Amino acid sequence: RDRRASAVRELILGCDRAVPRSTACGPRAAAIRTRELLARASNERGNRRYNTTRETLLQVLQIDRTNREARMRLATLAHEAGADEEARHHVEVLLRDHPGDREAQALLREIDARRASPAAALRVGAPVER
């Protein structure tokens, strides 16, 4: 089963390389790449690699600008690192693409609450990668 899944993956990605932007395999190849990048971002984040995780999530958004999961993860990552302007930007884009998203609305309220707090000025920036 794993070999079949791997063979199908290679077939789709090979088709996409041979005929870029093909309607037959382009969307499937994009979905495969997106899924793989999101998995890699989870692993990188688990290893506390902020910059690498951020870049991987941005790669997902290059493939699919409206990808809700990547946009939300990027906003959350930025907010946790204290980069609230970047976090706010990603939440606003997410809400433009996915109006009414409750999780994004809650994160926006959290960002605004931090901004209003005097202790927010004392927060240290993004962690350094090892």
Side-chain angles (χ1 to χ4, degrees):
R1 183 176 171 178
D2 288 339
R3 276 188 281 169
R4 263 186 271 148
S6 181
V8 169
R9 176 190 175 279
E10 290 307 315
L11 180 68
I12 291 170
L13 294 177
C15 170
D16 189 54
R17 282 189 297 273
V19 187
R21 296 179 193 78
S22 156
T23 56
C25 49
R28 289 183 179 101
I32 289 169
R33 286 189 187 99
T34 296
R35 211 172 28 251
E36 289 173 351
L37 286 167
L38 287 171
R40 187 168 86 194
S42 291
N43 185 42
E44 292 163 351
R45 186 164 187 214
N47 292 324
R48 300 190 184 281
R49 298 189 61 185
Y50 171 82
N51 292 328
T52 308
T53 304
R54 182 179 175 275
E55 292 302 318
T56 301
L57 292 170
L58 289 171
Q59 287 177 10
V60 172
L61 294 174
Q62 287 177 346
I63 295 169
D64 177 8
R65 185 192 69 74
T66 63
N67 187 291
R68 186 229 172 260
E69 184 177 356
R71 187 72 68 180
M72 189 64 197
R73 284 188 191 187
L74 195 52
T76 302
L77 181 72
H79 176 61
E80 289 172 353
D84 284 334
E85 290 304 313
E86 181 178 356
R88 173 177 271 289
H89 163 77
H90 289 296
V91 171
E92 289 172 351
V93 172
L94 192 153
L95 287 171
R96 194 170 43 237
D97 294 337
H98 305 274
D101 186 292
R102 291 178 189 265
E103 188 179 8
Q105 290 170 342
L107 181 57
L108 189 57
R109 285 190 299 274
E110 193 176 310
I111 291 167
D112 289 341
R114 181 187 289 172
R115 177 183 273 170
S117 167
L122 301 175
R123 182 161 170 83
V124 177
V128 177
E129 277 190 25
R130 295 178 203 165

